[in-house]
Amino acid sequence: MELPAAGPCAPAGLAPPAMGPGSPPRSAALILLVLLVLGARPEAQETGVRRQQRHGHSLNPNSSWWDMEYKGLLHSKKTLPGTVGSHKLSSLLRSSSPLGHKDSRSLLSQNLGQKSQEKQLSCDMLLKLSRMLQLLRNMGVLSESQQSKVFALLKKQMLKARKTPVKPQVEQSGPCPGAAPHLSPWHPGSDTRRAAVVGRGAALRLESSATFHSLVIRDGGKLVFADRPRGPPITLRARYILIQDGGELHIGSERCPYGSRATISLYGRAADGAAVAGFGQKFVGVGGGGVLELHGRRPRSWSLLDKTLHPGGLRHGRYTSEKRWGSRGLNLRILDAGTGRVLAAGRFDTHLRAGECRRLLAFLALQPPGRVVAAAVGDSAARSLTLETRLLLRDRLRSEHIARLGYRQPWALVGILGGDALSTAEDKREYHGSGTTGLAVAQREFLTYDGTRFTVTAFSGWIKGVPHNGFKVEVSKGIILHLVDDVRSWLPGDRIVIASTDYSMHQAEEFNLLPCPECKNNQVKIDGSPLYLHIGEVIDGIDMRAEVGLLTRNILIQGEMEDSCYGQNQCQFFSFDTFGGHIKILRNFSSVHMSGVELKNMGQQILGSYPVHFHMAEDVDERGGYDRPTYLDNLAIHHCFSRCVAIHGTHGLLVKDTIGYDTLGHCFFLEDGTEQRNTFYHNLGLLTRSGTILPSDRNEAMCLAIRSHVYGNYIPVPSTDCMAVSTFWIANPNNNLIENAAAGAQDVGIWYIFHRVPTGQSEGRYPEGQAEHTPLGVFYNNRVHSNFKAGLFIGKGVKTTRASAEDPREYLTVDNARFRPHQDADPEKPRVPAIIDGLIAFKNNDHGAWARGGDIIFRNSGFSDNGIGLTLASDGTFPTDDGSSLEVTRSIFVGESSNFGSQGGQNSYWGKGANGEYRTLPRNKTFPIRGFQIYDGPVRMAKCTFKKFTPTVDRYSSAIGFFMKNAWQISPQNNVSQILMEKSVGLKVFFGRSGQWFGNNDNDGDKMSIFHDLDGSVTGYPDTFIGRADNYLLRHPGCLTVPRWNGMMCTGRFAQLYIQARRPENLTLSIARATYSSHPLQLQGVNRGAPYQQYQPVVMLEQAYIIQWDGRAPEDIILYPINFNRGDWLHIALCYPRNTVFHVVTDVYQRQTGMVHSIKHYFAAPSRASALNGTGERLFYFDRASGYLFVHLQAHEARKGHSYCSQQGCERIKITAHMYPGGSWSCAPNPFPQRPVAPQRPVSQRPARPCRACGAPQLAITSTPSVKYIRIQIQSLSKADIQSHLTSAFIKINGAVFPINSPGIFFVVLDACSGAVVSRRHFDTVTGENAANSITDYVQTFIKERSLVLVCSRDIADMVGSSEMSIFTRLGSAKPIVFHKEGSFAMLGYKGQAKPSWIKVLNHAGNQKAASLQHYVPLKLKEYQCSANAFSQNHSEHISAEAMVPHN
């Protein structure tokens, strides 16, 4: 079945129908059909997996099918799926569990039977869906009848009449606008006084550079840049360019990208000339009816490093040493020829000290053959250099000149120990006492095992009477970068930026590209030497590959700048000129599309003047009548002075493949809080610096200095009022963020901020609170790293009132807000979970991610090397959105990864890590690192893996921790399950201790910290609560204390007692369980200075509690049973003066409406026993002798889910006390009779069973979730290691261990497509004859193409015929391997036509640390050329059963 070739969706002149408002989108219904029909046919239940394997597709957001199709949709001209209403795409993505066969059938029939309403699909979307449905039919998932029904709907949809008026189409004659025959050639020349106008009837082709004062294109006038690739570039200079009223400016077109070089250069100083109303100065402006079509060449915008780039381009960095005086004698360096690493250094004063010759020869005797040696004379080395030593050096170093070395003679040599004469480079100079000899320079090039060419240089000489000598080790002729993608579109001379992969965003580095004929499709060569480490691999299961962005485009729009700051341009904060150009687009434009454009020196530190600014343009897609929805595609915005892309009062814009680099203020910016349905797809933002425009843009100095808009003498508080500059500033949740990277901001990578009411020019556009209740759009597969405050922040708002005496803070200062998403943004309707799917957060100084609100779910996410990985905070102290919760699932947390980072680039802290090696650190050397931080709750964590959280002498580091100095409540409903703590976790849980960072550790929340281990996967004991060790409200004899945690594990049933107190409001509450009355807890409350105080202790149910105060009791007290199920109760005794008279009532308070119902009075009981007997009578008893009021607090209504209260509302007891002057207000410690402690089940009674399903199901969280990985670890041993009683040499694959117990070389071979172990072989290098030949034969004959080859060694001995084993070049080594006697060797290789970038070789001598490597290796890459039926969904199933699996 085929779609009709003609009609509204014919290939030429696509004209997608418009969408009407208020109708359920048929596009969403069809996508829903596609996503859910996996269970549509019974046989699909049994064979669906097999079919998916055969076709290489799986229908989930982490599959290659998802990547392919969703990317395809975003790359095409189409209407993106809507994100408003119950059928939106984001809600489809939130469905985490597949429907059963019956449910799928039902939903399928509902979708097929829906009547089409007003909202329409675009044609490209329909064509895409038709191909998807055909694919499903081929897979056997859809039946033929189902496919026929869907195609019928598609046809009907295509033929529907358009109901929304469409903007006039831009006429083009042929695909290339510059070739249109009706255009007149134009050579206007240069005149800075000319105000040029291209008006009615004018259709001009600009064929040479021009300069104007201004250029206005209007009244149907049209200007097109000539495209002549062989001609000179065209530059158009003007103070401003204004396009309006039917005017058109074209450079290239979508179907015919511009091939030449074009520049629009905006000039002028801030004070020059008058501003144009609505636009300002120095701009390209598009007004009503204007057309701006800029389409340059579209190279790949940005990619990821696929191989780690080390400082200097070498694994151990470049090496430079230069000495003058103080280095007399022979200076030597010994290097590893396979890596370029300097292994040993020595200076031997053979001029004055005769004994130095013996030390020199002993030094060389320790060096194994094959090492690189570099030598240089400092000052003089000849007087005491004996003949014997000279001759030995001649033979060992293959030197021609050392035997005749004279007084102060410069001499340098680079060679190979044990090599031949051809391996040595040598140079000398004659010394004549003149003071200048020039430099003797010896230089030789070598090759590392991974294919990097490096040069070793030694030099020696005299310059103006001063001796010089030194050494250099550096990459030869440019460093080659390995990238994930095909970058043949990147050209020599282009400029790139490589993002930081450390804590400081300032480690981003720029380079120019060099010609590289030897480069593969995914390689480029750079002209400089990197200063910092840039990771290009998956480390410890987290994708830390650096983003690499292309900054050059062949269409350039730039501002012409002064050499330094001047005038009123905030020069107290900036030394450079910040008055750049800007592009501003107003509503009712006819057409705006920009692709393949570079913007440099754009933006101004003025409100509204940004590099690209859509200003109050409203709907700019089909909903707004635009036949071709508006987009920005493949822009490079860099070195700009105010934001990157500002979307103001504009909806439906697509921003795709755009880079924002080194800019001031929020980069990708939504302004007023009304902006919705915008999609940010595959954009990169990095080096986002502070600016001055908004309080949230400002750093500390700016915040304190700019006070013109505060009230009176108010001094801003920088940490709370300002300091929020973000790469993505998302002011309304109903926007889509897909596959973006926020790779370094002064404060936050992605910030979802909430405007309680619309601000600025959008005031009144939606009712109060709507943004906070609006469901989240699509958030999928985004990366955040190298940000100072947080990678992702969900929460907070902006101040929406002007400064006043009541609130003197500036308008739009950062303020408080809560995100509570509900259906249709209506808090009376069901909650809609906000799904954060596929977040990667690493190397953020403070937080990987922070989220506050209701029903926010993180899944498939990775957190590594953050100060705190993830904090989930509830909707408030006693949430207004009752029943909401937060969750993280299927995620990986890493404390200190193997990404050690680099010093410099404003990295502040460098210290020892848990493994003893030096590394960069977050926040401070002593900052307590936490993976998952519990603040209040309720929060849930399930199926998560933790790695490498181990304390050091400097700092605590725990997998699970708590918010420090916490005054808020903590919910006992916080729970964890199916958690995997790897062996590298040294501290699973930590409750803090008094001292630095924790203060006294005695705030209310500190004392009440608690969570529930549902299955025992953290504690080893199921159904266990973990609390602080000194909390006697929870403790009982069955608890187990864990001193390292400062915690205890207890069984039991726990809830919260919520106490409100008024008149007075500043008392300290003392609460004790009667059983442990001598161990009361002191609670300060959380609302000091508020109309009432509140306390929220966690309590054990069905127990008696005593409440006292540090003064006379409050007159009004309200007791709420929080998290109580029906029938749960407490006995409570409250201390009062003896002469108190009480009025006690019970009611039910509905917090959403503020209404109270079911009011009932309590009556005085004759005795304590009658008041506490729990018969249902509402009685209280006041014992005047002891001063205690006794009440029985019980929940009578059922509670659901995570609701704090029942659906009827919150039950409570209100106590009003009339106290007369005088009388004692203190009471005895315990009014309850002493009874034995009620028995509780001991924790140790039921240990948890081993949990094979615990932990994240993914081995790695990456930005390419469709690519599967295996985890490889190789540990070799040298002879010295074995003599030191180290015995564990092994190869480990996904946790399965293949040990090597006897000396020799061990191979394990895996299929690169499936991950299956296909071969293992051990070669005995001690007793085995001709092991080298056996290895060669094995690699050549028995290892098949497309194989991963893992090689491990144990106590290598001499092998016959192994002087150079070239066979390892078949496995990816760049040169033959020469094994070191008694050394160690490890290799991760590949046999096949490709040479993957992950190949690694370690060849260590016996005096070096044993060779050991870890790597996450991708399976089934395109370059492996796997067959269609290869799959890798569960690699562990293929691993041989003979492998030894260690117990975690």
Side-chain angles (χ1 to χ4, degrees), residues 687-825:
L687 206 61
T688 304
R689 306 176 190 265
S690 301
T692 63
I693 295 175
L694 296 180
S696 55
D697 287 318
R698 299 169 192 157
N699 61 23
E700 182 176 9
M702 296 169 181
C703 190
L704 293 171
I706 300 174
R707 296 172 53 196
S708 55
H709 296 291
V710 303
Y711 183 86
N713 296 321
Y714 173 73
I715 299 176
V717 180
S719 61
T720 56
D721 292 359
C722 307
M723 297 177 67
V725 66
S726 304
T727 299
F728 291 86
W729 181 261
I730 309 300
N732 189 295
N734 184 25
N735 291 281
N736 304 314
L737 272 73
I738 302 166
E739 297 189 7
N740 301 287
Q746 182 62 44
D747 292 307
V748 175
I750 301 172
W751 195 324
Y752 283 91
I753 196 90
F754 303 94
H755 293 231
R756 185 131 190 94
V757 296
T759 56
Q761 296 183 41
S762 301
E763 286 186 8
R765 299 280 178 112
Y766 61 68
E768 182 175 350
Q770 179 172 301
E772 297 163 75
H773 293 107
T774 297
L776 188 72
V778 179
F779 185 104
Y780 176 69
N781 202 16
N782 296 292
R783 300 160 55 88
V784 291
H785 62 89
S786 309
N787 302 287
F788 190 81
K789 272 191 177 178
L792 170 66
F793 199 103
I794 302 175
K796 297 283 189 183
V798 295
K799 182 174 178 282
T800 58
T801 57
R802 307 290 172 175
S804 65
E806 292 182 356
D807 187 345
R809 297 174 301 157
E810 184 176 346
Y811 183 55
L812 299 180
T813 288
V814 178
D815 205 354
N816 289 321
R818 298 285 186 268
F819 181 38
R820 301 185 291 272
H822 282 251
Q823 182 180 321
D824 299 327

Side-chain angles (χ1 to χ4, degrees), residues 1160-1219:
K1160 297 176 182 177
H1161 291 267
Y1162 270 60
F1163 299 98
S1167 67
R1168 179 182 62 205
S1170 58
L1172 301 180
N1173 63 12
T1175 60
E1177 293 184 86
R1178 288 170 172 78
L1179 301 173
F1180 69 87
Y1181 174 72
F1182 183 53
D1183 184 351
R1184 294 189 182 277
S1186 65
Y1188 278 105
L1189 173 71
F1190 295 89
V1191 294
H1192 177 83
L1193 181 66
Q1194 182 172 350
H1196 298 89
E1197 302 292 342
R1199 181 181 62 86
K1200 288 188 177 181
H1202 291 92
S1203 295
Y1204 279 65
C1205 306
S1206 73
Q1207 286 186 303
Q1208 282 69 34
C1210 294
E1211 301 174 70
R1212 60 186 186 172
I1213 296 176
K1214 299 174 68 175
I1215 302 170
T1216 303
H1218 301 281
M1219 292 170 279

Side-chain angles (χ1 to χ4, degrees), residues 348 356-367:
F348 307 92
E356 289 288 84
C357 288
R358 290 190 300 274
R359 194 169 69 87
L360 169 61
L361 295 177
F363 174 81
L364 288 174
L366 291 174
Q367 312 307 323

Side-chain angles (χ1 to χ4, degrees), residues 53 64 67 157 254 262 265 532 629 648 805 812 825 927 1061 1207 1221 1282:
Q53 292 163 359
S64 57
D67 291 344
Q157 185 77 19
E254 191 173 283
S265 194
Y532 309 112
H648 184 193
L812 299 180
F927 183 74
Q1207 286 186 303
I1282 295 170

Side-chain angles (χ1 to χ4, degrees), residues 16 181 195 210 231 235 349 385 391 423 507 636 677 790 849 861 885 887 937 1110 1156 1176 1330 1343 1411 1417:
T235 299
D349 188 353
L385 188 63
L391 295 176
S423 67
Q507 287 191 1
R677 300 185 302 99
S861 296
S885 62
E887 176 181 319
D1110 65 345
V1156 174
N1330 216 354
I1343 299 180
V1417 180

Side-chain angles (χ1 to χ4, degrees), residues 1116-1133:
D1116 298 315
I1117 292 177
I1118 304 177
L1119 305 176
Y1120 292 80
I1122 300 301
N1123 291 316
F1124 281 48
N1125 293 321
R1126 178 185 286 165
D1128 290 343
W1129 58 266
L1130 296 178
H1131 290 162
I1132 300 175

